[in-house]
Amino acid sequence: MEKTLIFGHKNPDTDSITSSIVMEHLERKLGNNEVKAYKLGKVNKETEFVLNYFKVAEPETLESIEEKANVILVDHNTFSQSIDGIEKANILKVIDHHCITGFETANPLFYMAEPVGCTETILYGLYKQHDVEIDKTIAGLMLSAIISDTLLFKSPTCTEKDVQIAKELAKIAEIDIETYGMEMLKAGTDLSDFSPEEIINIDSKKMEANGVNMQVAQVNTASIEEVLKDQDKLENVMQAFMKENGINLFVLLITDIVNSNSEAIVLGDRTDIAEKGFNKKIENNRMFLEGVVSRKKQVFPILIEFAK
Ligand code: MG
Ligand code: MG
Ligand code: MG
């Protein structure tokens, strides 16, 4: 049998990386040994912390795929967030918790979507459904992704199901959620190794609506001021990125994980969309977004609605 490649989105986060690893593990348990987890780019500091903590190897980077390659997508479905050439691949399965957009296949497939806070919450259900044991390592990886995607249950994307499953997983992994979670999230705020160009690409997603190309990147921090020290440099690389990729609106969310707010750097020829959507004036290319931590629930829906 041909190999099946499993991967999450570009600019991978902890959910994309761990869900690929966990999905490979599940497939093998179900008898499909011709599977392999990959990543579509450099792992961030938070994910690095998680993999070190549970002593799990980083997946290899997938540089390209062949036509008709068998693939399983986790934590994304939108083609622009996937590997180049994905439209010609044979997508066997999708396990995801995002809105479905920019996605179509030539063949029938297994598609599992649930409006929960994390892909791992859906994978937990699949383990239960198939009666596959969740060991300590797998539990630790799943739990880490839930903490990451829900910002320790504080994001509006977090559901009761995510919380309940996280508690179950914490028991198996023998981990104190609060202590471990804060340590893990803090690890992700270490930007010391990253150039401004890399910072805007750590966690960046593109969305198109009514012909407007919008890019929303997010960085977590314990100090917004610290990140803003480099505002000029960040703006320069954002401008260059927009020019190269034909982006009309670039929002960089600098999210304070302690107080659950975001400061946004907003650039482009369609900044009016952000001003109207959030009902705020941009000053010094910035706006403060009180209580905003989720790009998926609190930013993209608003930008899409006001992109006219
Ligand atoms: Mg993700
Ligand atoms: Mg996710
Ligand atoms: Mg995320």
Side-chain angles (χ1 to χ4, degrees), residues 121-189:
T121 302
I122 308 171
L123 286 174
Y124 177 92
L126 278 177
Y127 270 72
K128 290 289 157 191
Q129 187 188 319
H130 293 286
D131 209 18
V132 175
E133 194 209 338
I134 297 173
D135 65 28
K136 221 172 149 173
T137 305
I138 294 294
L141 295 177
M142 287 177 153
L143 173 63
S144 301
I146 295 175
I147 294 169
S148 170
D149 268 12
T150 67
L151 282 179
L152 250 176
F153 314 131
K154 281 190 259 169
S155 168
T157 57
C158 186
T159 66
E160 195 45 44
K161 199 170 177 180
D162 297 295
V163 179
Q164 287 315 318
I165 289 173
K167 284 181 183 164
E168 285 304 311
L169 293 167
K171 269 186 230 158
I172 303 169
E174 293 173 40
I175 271 173
D176 178 76
I177 297 182
E178 287 293 324
T179 314
Y180 171 78
M182 253 305 148
E183 209 186 328
M184 187 200 96
L185 291 175
K186 286 246 169 78
T189 65

Side-chain angles (χ1 to χ4, degrees), residues 248-286:
N248 306 104
L249 172 65
F250 197 145
V251 178
L252 173 63
L253 292 172
I254 303 163
T255 300
D256 179 338
I257 55 162
V258 182
N259 301 303
S260 304
N261 294 312
S262 293
E263 180 82 34
I265 298 178
V266 187
L267 298 175
D269 54 32
R270 292 304 311 272
T271 53
D272 61 296
I273 295 168
E275 288 198 319
K276 275 187 220 120
F278 293 107
N279 198 19
K280 284 217 159 174
K281 277 263 160 281
I282 294 168
E283 280 170 57
N284 186 19
N285 293 332
R286 286 173 7 213

Side-chain angles (χ1 to χ4, degrees), residues 24-46:
E24 179 189 324
H25 177 265
L26 178 63
E27 287 289 323
R28 287 181 188 277
K29 288 286 175 190
L30 297 176
N32 178 13
N33 290 315
E34 299 303 311
V35 285
K36 194 168 162 149
Y38 287 93
K39 64 177 191 293
L40 300 189
K42 186 173 168 180
V43 300
N44 63 38
K45 289 277 179 187
E46 179 197 279

Side-chain angles (χ1 to χ4, degrees), residues 186-292:
K186 286 246 169 78
T189 65
D190 176 10
L191 303 172
S192 53
D193 275 6
F194 294 86
S195 66
E197 199 170 8
E198 285 173 321
I199 288 173
I200 65 158
N201 278 300
I202 290 174
D203 179 9
S204 185
K205 284 183 183 168
K206 187 183 168 186
M207 199 62 88
E208 193 251 279
N210 285 322
V212 184
N213 288 317
M214 303 181 285
Q215 191 81 26
V216 181
Q218 187 167 27
V219 284
N220 289 343
T221 184
S223 162
I224 288 173
E225 292 76 52
E226 196 60 36
V227 180
L228 286 177
K229 277 185 189 159
D230 284 328
Q231 184 176 348
D232 287 356
K233 287 179 199 154
L234 291 169
E235 285 186 14
N236 285 341
V237 292
M238 286 167 75
Q239 295 287 11
F241 183 95
M242 283 194 291
K243 212 169 177 187
E244 201 177 314
N245 297 282
I247 302 297
N248 306 104
L249 172 65
F250 197 145
V251 178
L252 173 63
L253 292 172
I254 303 163
T255 300
D256 179 338
I257 55 162
V258 182
N259 301 303
S260 304
N261 294 312
S262 293
E263 180 82 34
I265 298 178
V266 187
L267 298 175
D269 54 32
R270 292 304 311 272
T271 53
D272 61 296
I273 295 168
E275 288 198 319
K276 275 187 220 120
F278 293 107
N279 198 19
K280 284 217 159 174
K281 277 263 160 281
I282 294 168
E283 280 170 57
N284 186 19
N285 293 332
R286 286 173 7 213
M287 57 168 76
F288 184 69
L289 302 174
E290 181 110 43
V292 170

Side-chain angles (χ1 to χ4, degrees), residues 57-74:
E58 209 174 278
E60 277 173 41
T61 302
L62 189 62
E63 304 289 353
S64 62
I65 52 167
E66 284 169 19
E67 246 178 72
K68 304 242 160 57
N70 291 327
V71 302
I72 294 175
L73 307 185
V74 293

Side-chain angles (χ1 to χ4, degrees), residues 9 13-15 75 97-98 117 148-150 203 205 218 220 293 295-296:
H9 52 77
D13 55 11
T14 299
D15 190 21
D75 196 36
H97 67 127
H98 292 89
S148 170
D149 268 12
T150 67
D203 179 9
K205 284 183 183 168
Q218 187 167 27
N220 289 343
V293 295
R295 166 177 48 206
K296 178 159 79 169

